[in-house]
Amino acid sequence: MGTATAATTRPMRADAQRNYDHIVEVASDAFAEHGVLTSLDDIACRAGVGPGTLYRHFPTRDSLIATALGDSVDRLDTLAAGLKASEAPGEALHEWMLALAMHLRTYDNLPESIAEAFRRDDSPLRNSCFPLTDTTSVLVARAKAAGELRDDVDPRDVFALVSSVAWAAQRRGGTDADLKRMLSLATTGIR
Amino acid sequence: MGTATAATTRPMRADAQRNYDHIVEVASDAFAEHGVLTSLDDIACRAGVGPGTLYRHFPTRDSLIATALGDSVDRLDTLAAGLKASEAPGEALHEWMLALAMHLRTYDNLPESIAEAFRRDDSPLRNSCFPLTDTTSVLVARAKAAGELRDDVDPRDVFALVSSVAWAAQRRGGTDADLKRMLSLATTGIR
DNA sequence: CAACGATACGGAGACTGTCTCCGTTTTGTC
DNA sequence: GACAAAACGGAGACAGTCTCCGTATCGTTG
């Protein structure tokens, strides 16, 4: 991803593509610095475009977040491919849960936005998470099959649990140590 | 609590007390119906007072939430007294964690507000939670002493974990069953 | 390369919610 | 009944979201 284009339809006009790319770039920085709740008009301003232009390209905050997260999701997908082939499904699941939790820390308040997106249909942010929930399901199933995870665990609960740990850790200090400790606390019970 | 008064200083003037009580009453309803993020001006309007009056009594949203939660916290305190004397500390801790999680579901978005309050000093909402964190500490210590809980568990992490489970469960459907299932998933590992 | 239609821009401004300031009203006391 | 202190309330400043539409830019066609 990185420089996304609506390749399905007619290609974007040159100026539109330029603005689109610049907005995403600025948004990534702004989200990283101030969290996903930062002012969108401010992002537009910093990107040197009017609010109208931003909202035309990204009708909702979610759509902008989803696009800004593109690279991080791609990286997770690469990791997922390896983990799905792992010969130690239990460990693979653990590694995945940690990676997922780290991903959810990409921006401040991201877990809230994603959780919110899951309550709406057709949210672009929700759609962008489907690869992640799918991978979670696969890894949970493999861990179960290997007898390394209880049979009664719902993969959706696992995703929710990881989200909630990421959420909690961010408010408990936000360091890697906080995240790992909280995740360990919450998952030791899984086996 | 219920009808709180600044009893430490001079008693409130009659009209002020009347407005104060009415605001809290209306706020409880509004929070219950629309969550803690509902419009404060709207609460003022429904309570038949001007915005100025509301903000004079409750300078921050947190202070209003804290007051509105008074009754629920009182009920938890009563429960806590019994649990602290329980002869089954492990079970007592579990029961407490469930009660705490239910409390955090009193209003929509309450876990977020409380977590946020914990990042600020002198937030009234944070202060109103101290009895709860204290009880958590006591019950965690007792469970440890009885050998029913790992020694390396930080009570603050326990509180954070319960908050995060309440948060996650609310976004996973919000039913009692969702909450209990998620809590069980997250705590089975505690022992 | 001129010119035209389609595409995209951008900023003024409507709208919503937060929060404050200060002239007016209510209260309690002497 | 009158006076000072306490409290009221609403107009309005401010910030953020999002839209509408006149204007500018682009790409294509002759």
Side-chain angles (χ1 to χ4, degrees), chain A residues 13 19 49-53 56:
Chain A
R13 229 171 70 174
N19 283 330
V49 303
T53 300
R56 197 173 329 101

